[in-house]
Amino acid sequence: MMELTRKGEYAIRGVIYLAQIPPGTVALISEIAEATDVPQTFLAKILQSFAKIGIVKSFRGAGGGFILGRHPSRITLREVVEAVEGPIMPNRCLLGSGTCERDNICGVHPVWRKVQEKVAETLDAVTLEELAATTKL
């Protein structure tokens, strides 16, 4: 079963919150955690990893916190999910040729590939801007 982990859910809540606040407003980790009902230390680790790949920007010291790394219309749900969960992978046979000894003869392999593509397409079609407009945290 493909299922979003708690880490993925927390990550999505955190970035949606950042997309909902006025652009350029730096949010404290305590503020984001409280608003999204996410443990502060867990959220801090997630947002720090996002800072490394540009989804958010982090600021240290007095007045420090987090903002989105770019406009929410330019951040997709797929980017957020894959940043914490890894590539969309409904079956291990999609890791690459030779991962499964039956990949050349399996009739289900193309079905898993199609599922992977459709999920990726669906997540790519949703931006943080859209989610921020329709989500109440």
Side-chain angles (χ1 to χ4, degrees):
M1 179 167 142
M2 291 188 305
E3 185 175 339
L4 188 65
T5 65
R6 183 169 290 161
K7 184 177 182 182
E9 175 64 31
Y10 289 171
I12 292 167
R13 286 189 216 168
V15 293
I16 288 174
Y17 177 82
L18 291 174
Q20 290 177 330
I21 62 176
T25 303
V26 177
L28 299 172
I29 190 67
S30 58
E31 168 190 329
I32 304 166
E34 183 178 336
T36 59
D37 195 28
V38 174
Q40 185 172 323
T41 53
F42 199 8
L43 185 60
K45 289 178 185 176
I46 293 168
L47 293 180
Q48 285 300 335
S49 69
F50 281 179
K52 291 177 183 172
I53 59 172
I55 293 175
V56 302
K57 291 181 184 175
S58 66
F59 301 92
R60 292 191 158 167
F66 296 90
I67 61 171
L68 286 180
R70 56 189 181 276
H71 194 273
S73 66
R74 296 185 54 231
I75 302 172
T76 67
L77 184 55
R78 178 181 177 186
E79 184 178 3
V80 173
V81 169
E82 287 190 338
V84 292
E85 303 286 0
I88 305 299
M89 197 72 50
N91 192 307
R92 68 181 177 88
C93 67
L94 297 174
L95 287 171
S97 184
T99 304
C100 174
E101 63 277 355
R102 300 182 53 81
D103 63 358
N104 291 334
I105 59 170
C106 179
V108 182
H109 183 82
V111 176
W112 290 129
R113 177 72 64 205
K114 187 178 248 183
V115 168
Q116 180 184 41
E117 290 168 0
K118 293 295 181 185
V119 171
E121 270 178 36
T122 301
L123 296 177
D124 272 338
V126 179
T127 67
L128 285 186
E129 182 175 57
E130 295 169 60
L131 291 172
T134 60
T135 301
K136 182 171 169 76
L137 294 174

